[in-house]
Amino acid sequence: MFDLVTDSVRPEGMKKQDETRQGEAYAPFANDPNTYKKRFYIESYGCQMNFADSEIVASILNQEGFGATRNLEEADLIFINTCSIREKAEQTVRKRLTEFRKLKDQKKGMLVGVLGCMAERLKSKFLEEEKLVDLVVGPDAYRTLPGLVEEAEGGQKAVNVLLSREETYADISPVRLDSNGVSAFVSIMRGCNNMCAFCVVPFTRGRERSRDTESIINECRDLFEKGYREVTLLGQNVDSYYYVNDKENETITFGKLLERVALISPLLRVRFSTSHPKDITDEVLHTMAQYENICRYIHLPVQSGSSRVLQLMNRTYTREWYMAKVDRIREIMPDCGISSDVIAGFCTEEEKDHQDTLSIMEHSRYDMSYMFFYSERPGTLAQRRYKDDVPEDVKKRRLQEIVELQNRLSLESNHRDLGKTFKVLIEGNSKRSETDWMGRSSQNKVIVFPKETYKLKKGDYVMVNVTDCTQATLLGKIVN
Ligand code: SAH
Ligand code: SF4
Ligand code: F3S
């Protein structure tokens, strides 16, 4: 089920969380050569938030007369929206930049811009290191892109990496890139105020800020009216969403926001990511339980199962506290899916800490996990305070054990679903066959089933009985 990409693993059939290449993206009308003065191509790496940001960037550029293209050769501007989370993610980007460089040699006047977290981390150093980069633009500076492109066209090197305490791009309506027309991501906040010792995000994304509630509701409603049936509310730490509506003197917590999105229509599924275990409240859990269209699925990254390591990581919870949280979720929603992120080989990790990680995974019975080995990031708390002292072969061996355990847990979780019937939102044809549909259960599991003679379409809900499974996918049959 997992493909081991040196330091990160993901379940087959799941969207890659990071180090993903979005491939070609396009915006509406780009095929009409008369509509736009210039063409841009954008490729995204990293978390869903980066992908959502690329849709903001596309919208900003669209308004300035730039059309997106799926075709790299056709582009006047190439953007790469980058991730810094692990060294491997940065290496992938650098490799891709050398490929762009060749294109640039062939096409005079073509500009290459680096966006996102690597731009923020390296700032103008990027221009010195990667000589053929023309623009470096951080995650809070996308509004200034059109002006920066103009500067770059005039032969100057254009850089804007200013972080903001307010920017949420609330008023910008994202251009949906490569969307299936059924599910969409909606940013509800930016930045992160947690200081997990291993993590570079607080440095690349700045302070946490929540987006205006009304603009979120409007975007979700608009998506629903356009035929979308699922929204995923995005933030590094969604449970700390907090917005004060000055006019009505009303405070909107994440629980309240969830409820308001759920009330748009019972036909609109609501998901969210990511929850920090310390912040997910009973209010949120009860709201989930109350609304059938809020999906029974929580991504609850544990990182480590050892209280000692968790403390060094500055995660602010202990092993016992995390386990109690999992129990609480299962008490309120017995059918809730839970997934996790796990890091193997953090500084000072010993064999017994690693065993604690394995046993907390067993306790939590994760349906799925994203698993990594620790990669030291410059400027982070861990890099400044601790030694990256677990040898690489030990990190890899521990990661392998974590992966093997997760494979078993995933299979067991799928076995528990055999014979059960789930409400599935159809996302499209299955990858393998046009005579099968692919969709997801509320618990975020992929279900593949024959279309038979039913007149169904993408975006429809259908009840499916699970008849078989693999580690990554449930197989089923439509029930009337
Ligand atoms: N905000 C989210 C996670 C963002 S990063 C949260 O707090 O859960 C996604 C995952 O990457 C993290 O959960 C962590 O497991 C992993 N990660 C972050 N920094 C890392 C590092 N330096 N080395 C290895 N994995 C890391
Ligand atoms: Fe990084 Fe921790 Fe913030 Fe997640 S909560 S983005 S891991 S600092
Ligand atoms: Fe990567 Fe930045 Fe997201 S570092 S994981 S793209 S916030």
Side-chain angles (χ1 to χ4, degrees):
M1 169 169 176
F2 292 99
D3 56 333
L4 201 49
V5 204
T6 342
D7 80 326
S8 79
V9 271
R10 85 188 156 95
E12 204 183 286
M14 297 282 169
K15 274 195 191 119
K16 269 196 190 180
Q17 184 188 32
D18 52 25
E19 287 149 39
T20 331
R21 191 169 122 202
Q22 188 172 14
E24 321 84 43
Y26 72 104
F29 317 120
N31 291 337
D32 177 358
N34 302 318
T35 317
Y36 291 108
K37 57 180 183 193
K38 291 249 159 117
R39 303 287 187 108
F40 69 93
Y41 169 98
I42 187 162
E43 203 169 274
S44 310
Y45 296 79
C47 60
Q48 299 300 354
M49 268 149 282
N50 247 15
F51 285 76
D53 278 4
S54 291
E55 299 185 332
I56 300 274
V57 167
S59 176
I60 291 169
L61 291 171
N62 254 194
Q63 275 174 5
E64 291 295 316
F66 295 92
T69 172
R70 288 164 177 277
N71 185 353
L72 198 51
E73 276 78 29
E74 205 178 71
D76 306 296
L77 288 159
I78 296 181
F79 291 110
I80 181 162
N81 198 354
T82 61
C83 174
S84 288
I85 200 81
R86 284 168 289 276
E87 204 184 339
K88 170 93 189 326
E90 293 202 350
Q91 281 165 0
T92 312
V93 166
R94 287 188 195 276
K95 226 172 90 203
R96 196 65 184 135
L97 279 172
T98 58
E99 288 162 24
F100 293 160
R101 190 174 300 191
K102 284 184 211 130
L103 275 176
K104 209 166 143 62
D105 288 342
Q106 288 158 18
K107 190 170 176 181
K108 231 182 130 248
M110 194 181 80
L111 300 175
V112 173
V114 176
L115 314 176
C117 291
M118 236 177 131
E120 192 61 52
R121 193 177 81 74
L122 292 160
K123 305 190 168 57
S124 53
K125 254 200 280 176
F126 226 117
L127 297 173
E128 295 147 31
E129 283 177 31
E130 306 280 339
K131 292 259 183 300
L132 288 169
V133 168
D134 306 287
L135 294 103
V136 177
V137 189
D140 286 345
Y142 296 145
R143 283 183 203 266
T144 65
L145 257 171
L148 292 167
V149 168
E150 229 167 83
E151 272 178 40
E153 280 171 343
Q156 296 172 53
K157 296 284 180 192
V159 185
N160 188 351
V161 289
L162 283 176
L163 286 173
S164 157
R165 276 172 182 264
E166 286 98 36
E167 182 63 273
T168 58
Y169 302 109
D171 56 317
I172 295 179
S173 172
V175 167
R176 303 290 160 186
L177 299 167
D178 279 356
S179 155
N180 61 6
V182 176
S183 50
F185 294 96
V186 176
S187 272
I188 63 161
M189 56 203 299
R190 301 180 70 81
C192 184
N193 281 0
N194 294 320
M195 274 287 170
C196 302
F198 49 78
C199 186
V200 79
V201 173
F203 305 96
T204 63
R205 294 260 160 179
R207 303 293 290 171
E208 180 184 289
R209 65 223 97 123
S210 295
R211 178 180 167 189
D212 180 334
T213 314
E214 286 315 311
S215 76
I216 298 171
I217 303 297
N218 289 341
E219 187 175 327
C220 295
R221 193 179 295 120
D222 182 52
L223 284 163
F224 180 71
E225 281 161 7
K226 290 191 170 121
Y228 284 82
R229 289 295 173 264
E230 184 178 83
V231 290
T232 303
L233 308 179
L234 288 182
Q236 291 297 351
N237 188 11
V238 287
D239 298 274
S240 66
Y241 180 87
Y242 187 85
Y243 193 80
V244 183
N245 186 336
D246 288 335
K247 267 186 259 147
E248 281 147 47
N249 209 3
E250 186 190 18
T251 302
I252 314 283
T253 57
F254 183 59
K256 284 211 185 111
L257 177 71
L258 259 185
E259 176 164 46
R260 292 206 39 198
V261 180
L263 284 170
I264 291 173
S265 165
L267 288 176
L268 182 69
R269 273 190 172 175
V270 190
R271 298 186 183 279
F272 54 89
S273 187
T274 300
S275 296
H276 193 300
K278 78 175 161 63
D279 292 316
I280 189 162
T281 56
D282 271 11
E283 185 204 8
V284 168
L285 300 181
H286 286 304
T287 308
M288 289 176 76
Q290 197 184 334
Y291 292 91
E292 190 264 346
N293 59 328
I294 305 180
C295 290
R296 300 284 182 272
Y297 170 67
I298 300 174
H299 185 57
L300 197 72
V302 69
Q303 315 298 1
S304 167
S306 150
S307 293
R308 189 187 66 81
V309 173
L310 284 167
Q311 191 174 10
L312 288 182
M313 285 178 163
N314 201 24
R315 287 292 286 184
T316 70
Y317 52 84
T318 60
R319 169 186 177 81
E320 289 70 29
W321 197 92
Y322 181 94
M323 282 163 52
K325 190 55 93 178
V326 167
D327 296 344
R328 184 78 180 136
I329 293 170
R330 299 219 188 276
E331 185 188 322
I332 296 175
M333 288 173 289
D335 61 341
C336 191
I338 303 180
S339 60
S340 189
D341 292 348
V342 185
I343 299 178
F346 186 66
C347 313
T348 78
E349 187 187 79
E350 286 175 25
E351 211 48 43
K352 63 174 186 298
D353 301 309
H354 170 58
Q355 291 303 325
D356 283 348
T357 296
L358 296 175
S359 65
I360 209 166
M361 289 174 70
E362 288 264 12
H363 176 92
S364 311
R365 286 189 275 127
Y366 298 128
D367 301 296
M368 196 269 287
S369 290
Y370 295 100
M371 298 156 283
F372 317 96
F373 64 70
Y374 174 58
S375 163
E376 186 178 80
R377 307 309 295 134
T380 55
L381 230 66
Q383 185 262 330
R384 283 179 282 135
R385 281 196 200 153
Y386 318 126
K387 232 175 108 197
D388 180 11
D389 58 356
V390 178
E392 191 157 315
D393 57 329
V394 176
K395 281 185 186 172
K396 285 191 174 161
R397 196 254 306 147
R398 288 180 189 163
L399 178 61
Q400 191 56 41
E401 287 174 16
I402 288 169
V403 170
E404 278 161 21
L405 172 58
Q406 184 56 56
N407 285 350
R408 173 165 69 71
L409 293 176
S410 299
L411 188 63
E412 283 172 8
S413 158
N414 282 354
H415 275 155
R416 284 195 294 273
D417 288 342
L418 291 176
K420 289 187 194 158
T421 297
F422 293 95
K423 183 168 168 185
V424 174
L425 173 61
I426 300 178
E427 288 183 18
N429 286 334
S430 103
K431 255 188 245 141
R432 297 223 173 97
S433 157
E434 291 207 346
T435 60
D436 289 343
W437 287 122
M438 179 286 241
R440 269 167 221 271
S441 66
S442 176
Q443 290 77 5
N444 207 31
K445 285 194 184 176
V446 173
I447 306 192
V448 173
F449 52 97
K451 293 180 179 176
E452 300 182 52
T453 51
Y454 297 96
K455 291 270 165 288
L456 290 164
K457 55 185 188 315
K458 241 173 40 166
D460 284 346
Y461 290 98
V462 59
M463 299 305 287
V464 179
N465 183 255
V466 178
T467 51
D468 201 356
C469 69
T470 65
Q471 214 166 261
T473 315
L474 300 176
L475 306 170
K477 194 173 165 9
I478 296 173
V479 290
N480 280 320

